[in-house]
């Protein structure tokens, strides 16, 4: 039985199609509520088209290129292996240095031990060994990573929630060199959640974001 070039090409196309159907965007909040999530990226047929898309993205809309990169990460083992290699290249270690410690010489030793262990629990609750590689993966795939954090006092952890790149953009820079990021509050409406689910999801965010979304609901034209 002979195999022609056309048969090989068709096999590759069908295989890629099957992989696209298998893999979807697992980082989206939609999956937490059994909502469908997929890719809308186009397929580039030549290297020249890829170079042009990269050039256009520097000054224009990056959404198509980002979706393509995400799709490539899902279906191409070489691309995903490179991204994962650089995301997990370093071993993350930290040192805890007290900045200010309210401790009197007359305090009992077990009280100091309690404060010390609490400090370590708070730092461990950051989950740096897990969070940083995940943030770097999104950074390498999408060209940027946008996230917010909030403190869960009951479990002594600092949770990190990431946003899709299409709903975030840098609009300025502080005097310390950090970026000023703008969040499109229509993101919460795009998830397809019920009102109860949306309210539960919003409770995961800081009061500033909850208040910002409420202002958006009150005036969607000016507070988006």
């Amino acid at each position: 039985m002979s195999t022609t070039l056309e048969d090989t090409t068709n096999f590759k196309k069908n295989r890629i199609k099957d992989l696209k159907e298998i893999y979807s965007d697992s980082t989206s909040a939609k999956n937490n509520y059994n909502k469908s999530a997929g890719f809308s990226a186009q397929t580039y047929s030549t290297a020249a088209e890829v170079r042009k898309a990269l050039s256009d993205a520097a000054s224009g809309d990056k959404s198509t290129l980002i979706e393509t990169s995400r799709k490539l990460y899902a279906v191409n083992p070489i691309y995903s292996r490179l991204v994962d290699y650089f995301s997990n290249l370093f071993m993350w270690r930290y040192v805890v240095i007290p900045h200010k410690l309210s401790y009197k010489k007359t305090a009992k030793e077990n009280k100091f031990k309690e404060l010390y262990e609490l400090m370590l629990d708070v730092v461990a609750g950051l989950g740096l060994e897990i969070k940083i590689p995940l943030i770097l993966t999104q950074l390498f795939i999408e060209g940027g990573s946008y996230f917010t954090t909030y403190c869960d006092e009951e479990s002594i952890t600092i949770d990190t929630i990431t946003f899709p790149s299409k709903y975030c953009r840098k609009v300025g820079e502080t005097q310390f060199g950090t970026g000023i990021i703008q969040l499109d509050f229509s993101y919460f409406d795009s998830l397809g959640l019920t009102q109860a689910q949306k309210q539960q999801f919003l409770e995961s965010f800081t009061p500033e974001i909850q208040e910002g979304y409420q202002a958006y609901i009150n005036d969607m034209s000016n507070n988006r």
Side-chain angles (χ1 to χ4, degrees):
M1 181 178 178
S2 61
T3 302
T4 65
L5 179 60
E6 183 179 358
D7 293 333
T8 304
T9 302
N10 288 335
F11 172 79
K12 289 181 178 179
K13 288 182 178 179
N14 292 333
R15 180 61 176 160
I16 291 174
K17 180 181 178 182
D18 292 340
L19 286 171
K20 289 177 182 178
E21 293 176 354
I22 292 173
Y23 293 98
S24 61
D25 177 15
S26 61
T27 62
S28 172
K30 292 181 179 180
N31 290 317
N32 295 334
Y33 296 92
N34 297 320
K35 300 293 181 180
S36 61
F39 298 104
S40 58
Q42 70 183 53
T43 301
Y44 299 104
S45 57
T46 65
E49 290 184 5
V50 175
R51 286 194 292 269
K52 184 178 185 305
L54 289 170
S55 177
D56 293 343
S59 58
D61 182 25
K62 303 176 180 63
S63 58
T64 302
L65 199 61
I66 289 173
E67 291 299 317
T68 303
S69 178
R70 292 169 63 221
K71 183 193 295 184
L72 192 62
Y73 179 78
V75 303
N76 189 301
I78 298 175
Y79 188 73
S80 62
R81 203 178 306 129
L82 281 171
V83 171
D84 292 340
Y85 171 77
F86 285 108
S87 298
N88 296 280
L89 184 62
F90 299 101
M91 294 185 65
W92 300 99
R93 296 292 183 265
Y94 51 81
V95 177
V96 179
I97 302 175
H99 178 64
K100 182 179 181 181
L101 182 62
S102 298
Y103 175 70
K104 297 180 180 179
K105 293 182 179 180
T106 55
K108 295 182 179 180
E109 183 178 346
N110 62 346
K111 181 64 176 178
F112 176 82
K113 184 174 182 293
E114 179 183 334
L115 291 171
Y116 175 75
E117 292 178 346
L118 177 61
M119 249 179 22
L120 293 180
D121 287 341
V122 171
V123 177
L126 284 166
L128 297 177
E129 301 91 338
I130 299 173
K131 296 294 185 183
I132 294 180
L134 291 175
I135 290 172
L136 287 176
T137 297
Q138 185 183 31
L139 174 65
F140 294 142
I141 294 173
E142 302 185 8
S145 183
Y146 305 93
F147 58 90
T148 185
T149 59
Y150 75 98
C151 180
D152 187 336
E153 295 183 1
E154 293 184 3
S155 60
I156 316 181
T157 58
I158 297 179
D159 295 330
T160 303
I161 300 177
T162 58
F163 296 102
S165 299
K166 64 184 294 186
Y167 292 99
C168 301
R169 65 179 180 181
K170 182 178 178 180
V171 295
E173 196 171 274
T174 69
Q175 68 269 33
F176 304 106
T178 56
I180 299 174
I181 307 302
Q182 191 175 65
L183 171 66
D184 184 347
F185 284 105
S186 66
Y187 159 69
F188 296 101
D189 295 336
S190 72
L191 298 173
L193 306 179
T194 65
Q195 190 60 35
Q197 289 172 336
K198 189 188 301 181
Q199 184 59 39
Q200 182 184 24
F201 186 51
L202 279 166
E203 289 174 1
S204 303
F205 293 90
T206 59
E208 292 82 5
I209 291 181
Q210 295 182 46
E211 293 168 4
Y213 179 75
Q214 188 57 50
Y216 159 71
I217 291 298
N218 296 334
D219 187 354
M220 292 186 176
S221 299
N222 297 314
N223 295 326
R224 178 175 172 183

